Amino acid sequence: MSSAAAVAGLGIKDLGFVYFDAHDDLDSPDVNENGYFDAMGLSMLRGESWKTLMNTVPGHHPMELRDKFVYCGLRDLSEVQRQRVADVGMDVIWGDATKKVDFKAALEAVLERKNFSPSLVHLDLDVLDESLGNVNDYPSPGGLHEEELVACLGLVLKKVTPTSLTVCSFDPDTGDGDKIAKIGIRTIITFLKGMQETKALSGNN
């Protein structure tokens, strides 16, 4: 949801997406099983759901989200949700609880194959592996560890021109608030410093 709002505010038609999230956010009300509104953010952005509501958002225009979109760490999906991701045709770097995934190498391969600039960077902290603690009510195994996330975001700064960073879905009351907050703060500060160093973020922005 936060990224859908950011897209409307940015007003960039050819915007790319680097999407760190354990969940696809492509649900529509027709397939959603728990009423969780944030699970519908990308379907709203695509113009598939909540059309009347989204038409009231200044700057909103439906986007295809096919050629310049990559998920990293996606894993906690139902079979219906997996099929929706396949149908839309985004690039995906899947998280996997049964084997080690080299997230940085896989992401680098995608970012070298396509031009994602300019790009919105979406960071849902539940992309972190559940062994690090509860980010929210939807932890899952097979995600990124802290150093992997920092490394992947550093790679994004080298390969993509970021326009914004949205950070979402952190609930400090789920049991591991202080630990996750420290990881999140470190990640955000590192990314913003990198944006300054690459001139993607200046004192005038």
Side-chain angles (χ1 to χ4, degrees):
M1 290 298 299
S2 58
S3 289
V7 171
L10 289 169
I12 300 173
K13 291 184 178 180
D14 192 29
L15 187 65
F17 294 79
V18 183
Y19 213 83
F20 293 90
D21 206 319
H23 306 97
D24 62 290
D25 295 348
L26 277 171
D27 278 9
S28 69
D30 291 338
V31 302
N32 183 266
E33 297 178 349
N34 58 14
Y36 188 50
F37 201 50
D38 277 3
M40 308 180 202
L42 292 182
S43 73
M44 296 166 74
L45 188 54
R46 280 173 49 82
E48 293 179 331
S49 64
W50 299 94
K51 297 177 183 180
T52 301
L53 176 63
M54 290 304 292
N55 284 336
T56 69
V57 178
H60 168 69
H61 300 284
M63 302 184 71
E64 179 60 29
L65 303 184
R66 179 187 298 272
D67 296 328
K68 294 182 66 174
F69 192 108
V70 57
Y71 286 108
C72 186
L74 188 66
R75 60 194 185 276
D76 189 16
L77 279 67
S78 68
E79 289 304 315
V80 171
Q81 290 169 328
R82 283 179 177 266
Q83 186 58 54
R84 284 176 65 81
V85 171
D87 290 343
V88 175
M90 293 107 142
D91 286 290
V92 182
I93 300 161
W94 292 99
D96 194 327
T98 66
K99 64 181 180 181
K100 179 66 175 176
V101 177
D102 190 337
F103 290 103
K104 182 181 177 183
L107 181 60
E108 184 170 18
V110 174
L111 297 182
E112 288 185 346
R113 179 164 47 88
K114 291 183 179 181
N115 178 16
F116 283 80
S117 295
S119 192
L120 177 147
V121 181
H122 168 100
L123 173 58
D124 186 324
L125 287 171
D126 67 18
V127 77
L128 292 167
D129 189 82
E130 68 174 8
S131 64
L132 296 175
N134 289 340
V135 173
N136 51 40
D137 290 326
Y138 306 98
S140 58
L144 283 75
H145 288 265
E146 180 177 356
E147 296 305 324
E148 291 175 314
L149 179 58
V150 171
C152 283
L153 286 170
L155 176 67
V156 170
L157 289 165
K158 294 178 180 178
K159 300 293 184 180
V160 172
T161 302
T163 61
S164 62
L165 171 68
T166 59
V167 183
C168 58
S169 299
F170 170 46
D171 182 355
D173 293 327
T174 54
D176 297 286
D178 289 345
K179 182 178 180 181
I180 299 301
K182 289 177 181 178
I183 295 174
I185 291 169
R186 179 196 172 196
T187 302
I188 294 166
I189 290 174
T190 300
F191 189 79
L192 293 179
K193 284 183 176 178
M195 288 184 71
Q196 288 181 318
E197 292 170 359
T198 60
K199 308 302 182 183
L201 179 67
S202 68
N204 295 323
N205 289 348

